[in-house]
Amino acid sequence: MKAVCWMGPKDVRCEDIPEPRIVNPRDAIVRVTATAICGSDLHLVNGYIPSMQSGDVLGHEFMGEIVEVGSSTTRVKVGDRVVVPFTIACGNCENCVNGRTSLCENTNPNAWMAEKLFGHSTSGLFGYSHMTGGYAGGQAEYVRVPHADVGCFKVPDTLTDEQVLFLTDIFPTGYMAAENCGIAPGDIVAVWGCGPVGQFAIRSAYMLGAEQVIAIDRVPARLEMARSQSDATVVLDYEEVDVLDELRSLTGGRGPDHCIDAVGLEAHGTGFMFAYDKVKQMLKLEQDRPYALRQAMIACRPGGTLSVPGVYGGFLDKMPFGAVMNKGLTLRTGQTHVHRYLEPLLARIDGGDIDPSFIVTHRGSLEDAPHLYDTFMEKREGCVKCVMTPNAD
């Protein structure tokens, strides 16, 4: 079968590899009908996430049709149309039972790797390094889904692939980021990063009652997409304005009630601190570039909430944690507990509250992956989100 493989930093190829097989009675094999490139995939391609191996299959946003199930799989069957959360959950451990599925205690066979860096492991993740289990990703014609009764979520035929595909990651991620803020009616929310997760965080903030969202980025297409979500949205190009001054001005000097960092470890910025981060990261003296996170910490009003869906992989430098402590900020973050949000967000889609396909700007096949990755990476052609269609008829 064809699959999109990581062959080394900056080297993505569409390769022919063996088809997956059932290896555990709780497995299923899914024939992939749609798969997407996520901003988190770029961290892998750029070499910032350790433990990748040449030939690893990329992709953690995918859906399709079940074509084979293991003997102990009972809740889903051959022929079911399903979306698959990027976090792999067993459904039985304490974290899974309590809805914290991204912290599943049983699905990362390489937990010892993550424990060295984080103290404890996340769940296993599809297509996201051997530190999170070494599972083959979904940018492929077929994929093995472990714990299929928990990990395969049936979706109705009345909705298109592009309407439900993003239930696998970015829609729940943006929604959880907004939900973590504890938004009350009348609140002002600032969102750093208008990529796919940022776009869903903006839309979710409004669904949860925000009065206004201030969206921060530098890419015109992303800023325009953010602006189009509501007449109340204000967009800031951080290369054109002083973000902290603008946020104070827009909020009467108080600062936003809630700040969402939807950027993560490869943040861009201006001035000395961005140059500092970039040089230290190049010299491997700093693992992540926390430029946006620093701004969010400083900007948030006293007593506000800082929500961080952006991916961070290691250690950060020059963090103004005194601002977090002295302003009494609430900090909430984590990999997304996707399973918790599948039914309520599907109901939102089915009810017409949101059509997630608005995010898609580029489409192609698996063979187009190198070009699409490059276009997405460089933010060319107004690229916000790429969807690939394997097994196209």
Side-chain angles (χ1 to χ4, degrees), residues 309-326:
V311 171
Y312 287 90
F315 299 95
L316 312 180
D317 200 359
K318 297 292 188 291
M319 298 306 297
F321 205 79
V324 176
M325 184 271 168
N326 286 289

Side-chain angles (χ1 to χ4, degrees), residues 23-24 26-29 62 73 84 87-90 107 126 135-136 143-152 339:
V23 297
N24 183 286
R26 296 183 66 185
D27 289 349
I29 304 297
F62 62 93
T73 301
V84 181
T87 51
I88 302 171
C90 73
T107 55
F126 285 103
Y135 293 96
V143 63
R144 180 179 74 92
V145 178
H147 302 280
D149 280 338
V150 179
C152 290
H339 301 72

Side-chain angles (χ1 to χ4, degrees), residues 16-47:
D16 288 310
I17 66 170
E19 293 184 7
R21 298 180 301 165
I22 298 287
V23 297
N24 183 286
R26 296 183 66 185
D27 289 349
I29 304 297
V30 172
R31 176 181 177 269
V32 179
T33 58
T35 183
I37 300 173
C38 181
S40 299
D41 294 327
L42 301 185
H43 304 325
L44 301 174
V45 174
N46 287 329

Side-chain angles (χ1 to χ4, degrees), residues 143-328:
V143 63
R144 180 179 74 92
V145 178
H147 302 280
D149 280 338
V150 179
C152 290
F153 180 72
K154 290 186 280 190
V155 290
D157 291 334
T158 53
L159 298 171
T160 68
D161 280 7
E162 288 185 2
Q163 286 178 295
V164 295
L165 172 61
F166 306 119
L167 287 170
T168 60
D169 178 4
I170 56 172
F171 185 13
T173 296
Y175 191 90
M176 181 171 137
E179 184 182 73
N180 278 345
C181 291
I183 295 169
D187 282 352
I188 297 175
V189 181
V191 177
W192 276 258
C194 296
V197 169
Q199 299 291 343
F200 280 112
I202 294 167
R203 184 66 63 91
S204 299
Y206 283 123
M207 287 195 292
L208 292 170
E211 179 176 311
Q212 183 180 62
V213 175
I214 304 168
I216 303 155
D217 206 295
R218 65 183 173 122
V219 181
R222 295 183 174 199
L223 289 169
E224 183 53 39
M225 184 177 283
R227 192 197 322 267
S228 71
Q229 296 206 39
S230 170
D231 292 339
T233 303
V234 175
V235 299
L236 301 179
D237 182 338
Y238 65 76
E239 292 186 333
E240 301 293 331
V241 301
D242 184 302
V243 169
L244 295 178
D245 284 349
E246 288 294 314
L247 290 174
R248 292 187 193 99
S249 177
L250 290 165
T251 58
R254 296 175 68 246
D257 299 292
H258 313 286
C259 293
I260 297 175
D261 170 11
V263 181
L265 66 87
E266 290 187 77
H268 289 81
T270 60
F272 171 78
M273 285 308 298
F274 174 60
Y276 171 90
D277 282 337
K278 195 168 184 179
V279 169
K280 289 202 73 173
Q281 192 180 52
M282 288 173 59
L283 295 174
K284 301 189 182 303
L285 298 174
E286 182 179 24
Q287 290 178 296
D288 302 351
R289 298 197 303 261
Y291 185 89
L293 183 57
R294 289 192 197 101
Q295 278 198 339
M297 287 177 169
I298 295 295
C300 197
R301 71 157 172 84
T305 304
L306 178 61
S307 175
V308 187
V311 171
Y312 287 90
F315 299 95
L316 312 180
D317 200 359
K318 297 292 188 291
M319 298 306 297
F321 205 79
V324 176
M325 184 271 168
N326 286 289
K327 289 193 292 184

